[in-house]
Amino acid sequence: MKLLLSLSLLLTLSFFKAQEHISSFNALTITYKFHPKFFLYAEGQMRGIEEYSYPDYYEIKGGLGYNLTKNHKPFIGLGRYATYKDHAINKEEFRVWLQDVIDFKKGVVKFENRLRVEKSWFYEPQTDKDSERMRYRYRLNVSVPLNAKKIAPGTVFANVYDEIFVVTPMKPAFARNRVYGGFGYQIDENFGILGGYLWQREFEAKGNKNFHFVYLALNINIDGTDDAPSKTYHFPGAD
């Protein structure tokens, strides 16, 4: 116990010494399965990066996924993203991406492997500057039901993941690392909630940055098919 308290105090002192602060990360996701093989996905986000209670970033995105097999789900998506500074938009982004998700279970533990390739176009209205970027992402996401053998209505579960980001043509190429840990609760057939802590490390030529997010999300799953025996619950995680 003394060792745990000492480590907690050390981490707290390091946190304030670096003048880092807590940011907010809020999301609403909707997954609609309209065919045994196809599903639509939409997500809205608001983040308070500089100040916890003041949103200075938002994104709206969505796309179409295909259940190639029970454990293999390719997806194509697009979205709009905006960052604010001094209460005005200073960067807009339009993004398209292709991703592939392959998951498997070992006992009650589910391992999700996600690989994504993104193409982005940026516009900075304050300087009238345009730019482009390619980004490659890999995430290993692990979820474990805590009071049942699988996630179903009434299930509490734990969720952790690590994701790496590689970009081009910017330098350094290894641009970001995210680590998340949290818990979720599947309320009923359609609604689930998640909450946790997300640490984000930005690698930049002018100096690295750390971000600490409190993540809160409401996930809505709608199954419009008659494929009841294969009912699953989608938890996209902080994205």
Side-chain angles (χ1 to χ4, degrees):
M1 179 60 75
K2 290 183 179 179
L3 178 60
L4 181 60
L5 290 174
S6 299
L7 289 173
S8 299
L9 179 60
L10 179 62
L11 289 172
T12 302
L13 290 174
S14 300
F15 180 81
F16 285 108
K17 184 178 179 180
Q19 295 183 334
E20 296 173 358
H21 59 276
I22 298 294
S23 302
S24 60
F25 194 128
N26 306 296
L28 170 66
T29 74
I30 302 174
T31 304
Y32 175 49
K33 186 178 180 182
F34 64 92
H35 182 277
K37 288 291 187 179
F38 291 94
F39 63 93
L40 294 172
Y41 176 76
E43 179 174 335
Q45 280 188 25
M46 293 183 68
R47 304 182 200 172
I49 300 173
E50 295 297 329
E51 299 179 26
Y52 182 89
S53 59
Y54 179 77
D56 53 9
Y57 172 92
Y58 82 84
E59 60 182 62
I60 300 174
K61 60 190 179 187
L64 175 68
Y66 179 69
N67 295 303
L68 186 62
T69 68
K70 181 180 178 181
N71 305 105
H72 190 183
K73 298 178 282 293
F75 183 89
I76 182 170
L78 56 85
R80 185 182 187 275
Y81 309 73
T83 304
Y84 289 76
K85 191 170 184 179
D86 298 325
H87 295 200
I89 293 180
N90 75 319
K91 180 176 281 190
E92 298 174 288
E93 175 188 356
F94 177 73
R95 183 189 305 172
V96 296
W97 73 90
L98 292 171
Q99 75 179 34
D100 200 11
V101 175
I102 299 174
D103 56 54
F104 65 91
K105 294 186 71 174
K106 184 69 174 179
V108 298
V109 183
K110 181 180 179 181
F111 299 86
E112 178 197 74
N113 297 276
R114 189 183 78 177
L115 180 65
R116 178 183 290 184
V117 179
E118 302 173 340
K119 173 67 175 181
S120 295
W121 293 266
F122 299 96
Y123 176 64
E124 300 176 36
Q126 297 178 14
T127 57
D128 196 30
K129 179 182 176 182
D130 295 288
S131 58
E132 299 181 9
R133 180 191 69 192
M134 289 293 299
R135 188 163 71 175
Y136 310 89
R137 302 166 58 170
Y138 170 73
R139 184 179 80 180
L140 175 60
N141 190 10
V142 182
S143 58
V144 185
L146 301 178
N147 62 338
K149 292 185 177 181
K150 65 177 183 177
I151 296 177
T155 303
V156 178
F157 60 93
N159 181 224
V160 295
Y161 78 73
D162 184 75
E163 185 173 20
I164 59 173
F165 299 69
V166 177
V167 300
T168 182
M170 295 79 164
K171 300 293 183 180
F174 184 62
R176 175 183 293 174
N177 187 36
R178 275 182 179 171
V179 179
Y180 171 81
F183 297 92
Y185 177 64
Q186 184 62 35
I187 300 170
D188 57 22
E189 291 285 337
N190 301 114
F191 296 94
I193 56 175
L194 290 99
Y197 165 71
L198 172 68
W199 174 74
Q200 181 170 297
R201 176 80 157 174
E202 300 279 354
F203 298 94
E204 299 180 0
K206 60 183 179 182
N208 300 332
K209 298 178 182 178
N210 292 321
F211 294 94
H212 307 269
F213 291 98
V214 173
Y215 176 71
L216 298 171
L218 171 64
N219 295 329
I220 302 174
N221 288 276
I222 303 171
D223 192 339
T225 70
D226 297 324
D227 205 13
S230 64
K231 176 70 175 179
T232 57
Y233 300 91
H234 183 56
F235 299 99
D239 185 26

